[in-house]
Amino acid sequence: MTNNKMMGRKRAMALVAMLLASTMGTTALAGVAPGAPGQAAMGAYAGKTGIGTAYHAYGAQAGKAVPSRVWFSLAKGVVTETMYGLIHEVQLRELKFAIQGEGFLDVEDADTDSTTSYLDVDAAGRPRSLAYRVANKARNGKYEIEKQVFTDPAADTLVVRVTVRALKGGTVTPYLLVDPQMAGTGGGDKADVIDGALHAYEGGRHLVVRAAQGFKAASVGFVGASDGLSQLKAGGKLDADYTTTGDKAGNVALAGALAPVTGEATFDIVVGFGDSAKAADAAASATLKRGHDAVLAAYNAGWEGYQAKLAPLPDLAKEAMDGGKLLYASALVLKAQEDKTHPGALIASLSAPWGDTQKADKPATGYKAVWPRDFYQCAMALLALGDTDTPKAALSYLKTIQVGPKTPGNHGDGGWFLQKTHVDGTPEWVGVQLDQTAMPLMLAWRLWRNGVISDADVAALYPSMVKPAADFLVKGGTAGIGWNKETIRPPATQQERWEEQAGNSPSTTAAVIAGLAAAAELAGQAGDEAAVKRYYAAADAYSAGLEKATVTTNGQLAPKESKAGYYLRIAPTGQPNAHTPLAVRNGQQALTEDAYVDGGFLELVRYGVRAPGDPVIKASLAVLDDETLPENLRVKYTFHFDGDTTAYPGWRRYGNDGYGEDRANGANYAVSGTSTPTQRGRVWPLLTGERGHYELALAAARPGGAKPAEVNAIRTTYVRALERFANQGLMIPEQVWDGVGSDGGRGYKAGAGTDSATPLAWAHAEYVKLLRSLHDGGVWDMYAPVAVRYATKP
């Protein structure tokens, strides 16, 4: 027998042993790691500096597997949440390296300074692909780590090429540390070392980690008791006897020693995922066989091909202030946050806010889920970029999450769209938010007007989706899913866009009016003239009653000289002068309705419901921008960044917002499991984009349209602000630090992301749409039938 055949036979026998270990939990000669079940598992850090997945063009039948269903993220210089299967199914919490040298043991996320950049950029430095270079420099000056991270378009694998440099003439030993979170939980996992590979699994989810050069030693154990890092801290080496975690499941970790490095050495690591150990190992082995260079080239080619289809991209880049870097990254980020099993399913963020302080004992989607509101923003931004395929798939997908007779557990009225769902349509949150029922109608109309869907498509879509949704916006109905049995009477909503309060909301009403106008136009195309009249009649009534239901003329925040009043964030009873208290949310005291203001009324201008020069709009802006308000009620902040004298504006969601870090001790949101009165919601970058859109609408409404100086002012203020809010990986956060209170020693800088979700797709969408609006000389989200019918010149 030849050596090759003998090696092949040994490997086959080893794989059989692995499979037995997967089902039996141990092998006869294996040493069982002690300490089950290990420490309580926590989620992953949410402040991502990069996300990635292989580009996949449409073509596979919906619900069928595609060649690569792996997504990853980066934070603090290491690989964090890695998903396999559906986009929310976390299988790996963290992959990083420990470095051992003379007199020290470092862990890269704690002991190095990290920078994240893109491997594939054009001549202007603009990202062409979601492949990353992560450079970590040791604070003790004794080593450097450089990693390349991407996935294989032809396999369910994550690829990490790591180069380790020993400095100052020393020798260091790198150890790979892998923290699985199989099937979405950090507990319930088991692990083995078989045939030189690291293997973890729970149920039908498996991962196998292989190193091209092989591991010099390998071990598995329970976190905090017998895991590799604990072994290194206790004895300076891995325990070769710990080759399985045995029959007991828990929070397991995997470790592999690489060859000692003097000078420089490069290692290729591949993590394979599958529904069996055999499938995961086969995926990892296939990727290693194809080789780093070939896999990276295929990965880059996929994303480069996608960007090449985005015809407006080069022209939109001319509106940017950074040469187009954030724009090109945003195009990739928005597309990457689509599930591959369910085409068109666009999620809010590839992260879970404040994840590292949240328990991982139960599967949770975090923001890796579908909200029709965020969904609409993404689809419209992709359309603005010139991508018609994804928005069309998104529109088709929406039927998956529209409530009807076939919705599981539904015993109420249909037509509305679920608040939050898994990408497969599984309901997660079931509040009724009328803007989320209106926005699918707005998207449908826009795709029709842009020629993405045909008249025949409208005829098919109208009775099945448009009419039920529009009818609900007219007459409302009673919800009947889970806890929700409430009767909804439009335009009052059960929840507004921040998902916390019921009543009459300016932003919700703006979407409802626009949605009904869109539905009326679609009804006309479908030949339903009675519905045209009914939908416009309801929209007319909502518009006529808007100020009476949402504008206070005796509110406590109004300047004394103002007579116009101002838009409330929400009026619970539709009586804005009644001083009705809002419901307690996020641990905050329930203040009266007139104490709350947010920028939601700007949606009235964006969609064409009110003119930008409307006196109530302008009066409301004065309240929104009042930086002398008490700190808890203040909404606007300005930021100065290093080396830049410009004051960049930012806004909180609303006054008295508690969805954020604790201002007293800096603790992450609801870290104790309950909200506290000292929590504080911070500044949201997407709101800077919304304000930029308003300023453009105001300038464009003047005779002759927006002047070049006005456009330039918007670019240098609002466009540049969003670019400054983005982190080094060009990811825009949900929230940035406003400087109020304690940061808990985290070292937050004003205007930089907090531990909330990053990247937020909505924020990237807002940036893209602002550039498109500037390019076009008008607001991208403006709906002509709405503006013609309701908005008048200032």
Side-chain angles (χ1 to χ4, degrees):
M1 185 179 291
T2 65
N3 287 338
N4 286 339
K5 289 182 178 179
M6 290 180 65
M7 291 176 64
R9 182 177 180 185
K10 288 180 178 179
R11 182 160 183 173
M13 293 175 65
L15 185 55
V16 171
M18 178 189 286
L19 293 171
L20 289 173
S22 301
T23 56
M24 299 175 63
T26 187
T27 60
L29 301 178
V32 179
Q39 292 178 349
M42 308 299 285
Y45 182 71
K48 314 302 185 184
T49 55
I51 65 167
T53 187
Y55 172 72
H56 173 68
Y58 297 129
Q61 182 181 347
K64 299 295 184 180
V66 298
S68 179
R69 294 179 295 155
V70 176
W71 295 258
F72 69 90
S73 59
L74 306 172
K76 296 184 177 180
V78 306
V79 175
T80 54
E81 289 170 294
T82 302
M83 281 61 65
Y84 158 69
L86 301 182
I87 198 169
H88 64 269
E89 294 180 325
V90 181
Q91 313 295 345
L92 176 66
R93 175 183 177 271
E94 200 170 70
L95 183 151
K96 60 188 179 183
F97 290 87
I99 302 294
Q100 186 182 62
E102 186 174 354
F104 73 91
L105 175 66
D106 282 3
V107 181
E108 58 178 338
D109 56 342
D111 299 309
T112 68
D113 295 317
S114 176
T115 58
T116 301
S117 59
Y118 290 82
L119 283 172
D120 184 17
V121 297
D122 66 10
R126 300 177 298 205
R128 299 296 313 278
S129 167
L130 293 171
Y132 297 90
R133 175 181 288 107
V134 181
N136 295 334
K137 294 186 177 182
R139 297 189 185 122
N140 64 15
K142 295 185 177 181
Y143 61 91
E144 293 177 348
I145 302 172
E146 184 177 306
K147 290 178 287 192
Q148 297 180 14
V149 187
F150 50 94
T151 65
D152 186 344
D156 289 319
T157 56
L158 172 71
V159 181
V160 180
R161 166 167 281 188
V162 57
T163 298
V164 179
R165 300 183 185 94
L167 307 178
K168 299 182 179 180
T171 297
V172 298
T173 301
Y175 293 87
L176 177 67
L177 305 177
V178 181
D179 185 0
Q181 194 173 316
M182 307 305 300
T185 66
D189 297 348
K190 297 179 181 179
D192 310 288
V193 179
I194 302 291
D195 187 32
L198 302 169
H199 171 226
Y201 61 101
E202 178 179 344
R205 288 297 192 233
H206 296 251
L207 68 77
V208 170
V209 186
R210 285 199 173 274
Q213 298 82 356
F215 295 115
K216 299 301 179 182
S219 179
V220 298
F222 292 97
V223 174
S226 54
D227 64 286
L229 185 58
S230 296
Q231 295 173 38
L232 291 170
K233 288 179 177 179
K237 64 178 182 178
L238 296 183
D239 193 326
D241 287 338
Y242 294 166
T243 56
T244 180
T245 54
D247 294 328
K248 295 181 179 179
N251 183 12
V252 306
L254 322 175
L258 299 172
V261 177
T262 302
E264 177 179 303
T266 297
F267 308 91
D268 286 333
I269 308 294
V270 175
V271 184
F273 299 90
D275 297 339
S276 67
K278 181 179 180 180
D281 187 60
S285 298
T287 295
L288 284 171
K289 184 177 180 180
R290 277 189 288 276
H292 168 277
D293 293 351
V295 173
L296 177 58
Y299 182 90
N300 288 342
W303 283 115
E304 290 173 4
Y306 173 70
Q307 279 193 344
K309 298 177 184 178
L310 307 180
L313 203 57
D315 286 339
L316 297 186
K318 297 174 184 177
E319 304 293 342
M321 293 294 294
D322 68 348
K325 294 182 179 67
L326 180 58
L327 172 66
Y328 276 59
S330 295
L332 302 172
V333 165
L334 289 169
K335 179 62 176 175
Q337 296 190 139
E338 175 190 20
D339 188 59
K340 296 177 183 178
T341 306
H342 301 279
L346 300 164
I347 64 167
S349 175
L350 211 64
S351 67
W354 299 286
D356 58 328
T357 51
Q358 307 297 323
K359 291 181 179 179
D361 54 344
K362 297 179 181 179
T365 59
Y367 280 5
K368 296 183 285 290
V370 174
W371 278 267
R373 181 185 311 101
D374 300 63
F375 182 100
Y376 163 84
Q377 308 295 344
C378 294
M380 286 292 288
L382 288 165
L383 185 65
L385 288 165
D387 179 349
T388 57
D389 290 339
T390 308
K392 185 176 182 179
L395 182 64
S396 178
Y397 168 83
L398 281 167
K399 278 296 298 177
T400 305
I401 58 173
Q402 187 173 25
V403 176
K406 295 182 180 180
T407 302
N410 178 42
H411 302 289
D413 293 315
W416 56 286
F417 289 80
L418 290 163
Q419 176 188 358
K420 178 191 178 186
T421 69
H422 297 183
V423 291
D424 64 2
T426 301
E428 188 168 349
W429 296 350
V430 295
V432 178
Q433 299 174 10
L434 292 182
D435 61 338
Q436 295 204 134
T437 293
M439 286 174 173
L441 304 179
M442 295 155 66
L443 178 63
W445 180 86
R446 189 57 181 267
L447 294 181
W448 173 53
R449 295 297 294 179
N450 281 44
V452 178
I453 62 173
S454 67
D455 293 349
D457 292 330
V458 171
L461 188 69
Y462 176 74
S464 62
M465 188 182 85
V466 173
K467 184 175 174 60
D471 285 348
F472 192 88
L473 294 178
V474 171
K475 62 185 179 181
T478 301
I481 300 179
W483 59 266
N484 195 355
K485 311 298 181 185
E486 187 168 327
T487 298
I488 313 302
R489 297 180 174 86
T493 184
Q494 186 179 32
Q495 295 177 357
E496 33 64 81
R497 70 174 182 166
W498 303 127
E499 307 192 286
E500 297 172 354
Q501 301 288 344
N504 289 77
S505 154
S507 63
T508 298
T509 305
V512 169
I513 292 170
L516 282 170
E521 297 293 310
L522 294 168
Q525 175 59 36
D528 190 350
E529 293 302 325
V532 174
K533 295 178 181 179
R534 185 167 66 254
Y535 298 155
Y536 265 129
D540 291 347
Y542 298 159
S543 176
L546 173 66
E547 284 80 6
K548 183 179 179 180
T550 61
V551 175
T552 181
T553 55
N554 65 2
Q556 60 182 288
L557 303 184
K560 292 182 180 179
E561 64 275 12
S562 174
K563 297 181 180 180
Y566 60 92
Y567 283 104
L568 299 179
R569 173 196 166 198
I570 195 164
T573 64
Q575 298 176 324
N577 285 333
H579 300 266
T580 304
L582 266 63
V584 175
R585 292 292 182 267
N586 298 312
Q588 304 309 293
Q589 178 184 356
L591 306 177
T592 57
E593 59 193 342
D594 56 310
Y596 296 85
V597 65
D598 76 346
F601 63 89
L602 295 177
E603 299 289 86
L604 294 165
V605 175
R606 177 192 288 255
Y607 301 141
V609 179
R610 290 293 181 269
D614 181 275
V616 183
I617 295 288
K618 287 193 168 183
S620 301
L621 283 172
V623 179
L624 183 71
D625 291 347
D626 187 354
E627 296 183 63
T628 69
L629 291 175
E631 198 64 68
N632 67 315
L633 301 183
R634 179 179 168 188
V635 181
K636 183 182 180 182
Y637 289 79
T638 54
F639 300 89
H640 291 85
F641 295 93
D642 294 342
D644 193 337
T645 59
T646 304
Y648 295 105
W651 288 265
R652 301 167 68 204
R653 297 192 302 173
Y654 55 85
N656 208 44
D657 184 8
Y659 184 60
E661 289 83 2
D662 195 298
R663 65 179 182 273
N665 58 23
N668 280 355
Y669 174 78
V671 67
S672 64
T674 57
S675 294
T676 64
T678 47
Q679 289 172 186
R680 178 181 174 82
R682 309 293 174 172
V683 166
W684 287 52
L686 73 88
L687 299 176
T688 295
E690 288 190 352
R691 183 56 171 272
H693 272 104
Y694 169 77
E695 296 297 337
L696 177 61
L698 184 64
R702 299 189 182 108
K707 305 297 189 293
E710 293 173 318
V711 171
N712 190 58
I714 294 169
R715 292 176 63 244
T716 57
T717 302
Y718 302 100
V719 170
R720 187 58 178 150
L722 283 162
E723 292 167 356
R724 296 306 302 261
F725 288 141
N727 62 29
Q728 63 180 237
L730 301 176
M731 305 287 117
I732 307 178
E734 175 188 78
Q735 299 184 42
V736 297
W737 183 245
D738 60 11
V740 176
S742 169
D743 70 352
R746 291 181 177 83
Y748 288 150
K749 293 183 179 180
T754 66
D755 287 356
S756 61
T758 304
L760 187 68
W762 185 355
H764 283 273
E766 193 65 25
Y767 175 75
V768 167
K769 290 192 290 181
L770 182 55
L771 294 184
R772 180 62 190 254
S773 297
L774 289 166
H775 173 271
D776 294 353
V779 175
W780 177 249
D781 283 301
M782 181 74 72
Y783 288 84
V786 179
V788 169
R789 195 174 185 95
Y790 302 110
T792 57
K793 296 292 183 182

